Amino acid sequence: MKSLKINIAQNTDAEKLREVLMQIKGVESVEMIDEENPESELKKAFHKSKEQLKKGEYESIVNDIFDILISPKQK
């Protein structure tokens, strides 16, 4: 699988851009990540993974990563 990273201006309607991108043939999903938001979903997942590693919960980490990759949450 290949991915494409697009950086947008602050005044851009991100939801509308997501809708337009989903109309393009070959685009399977569009995930919006707000890097300005310190509590974005991806950052939460990494923090949770660190805690699971400390506790030795390796199977939980693998399951969580697959859940994030297979069904990303749409904002």
Side-chain angles (χ1 to χ4, degrees):
M1 177 169 76
K2 293 184 180 181
S3 62
L4 175 66
K5 181 177 179 179
I6 299 173
N7 294 313
I8 58 175
Q10 285 186 352
N11 60 349
T12 304
D13 184 352
E15 187 59 34
K16 192 66 167 176
L17 180 59
R18 187 186 80 71
E19 290 174 18
V20 169
L21 292 172
M22 288 300 297
Q23 298 298 316
I24 299 172
K25 182 179 180 182
V27 174
E28 292 182 8
S29 67
V30 176
E31 180 179 356
M32 292 187 285
I33 299 172
D34 185 1
E35 292 178 353
E36 298 294 320
N37 182 357
E39 293 298 319
S40 71
E41 293 298 319
L42 191 56
K43 289 183 181 182
K44 287 180 188 177
F46 280 124
H47 179 69
K48 182 179 176 183
S49 295
K50 285 182 192 177
E51 296 301 318
Q52 289 172 324
L53 278 172
K54 290 178 186 175
K55 297 176 185 175
E57 299 173 354
Y58 304 109
E59 187 175 334
S60 297
I61 294 171
V62 173
N63 290 338
D64 289 344
I65 291 171
F66 275 107
D67 287 344
I68 291 169
L69 295 175
I70 292 172
S71 4
K73 295 179 182 177
Q74 299 294 326
K75 291 184 179 181

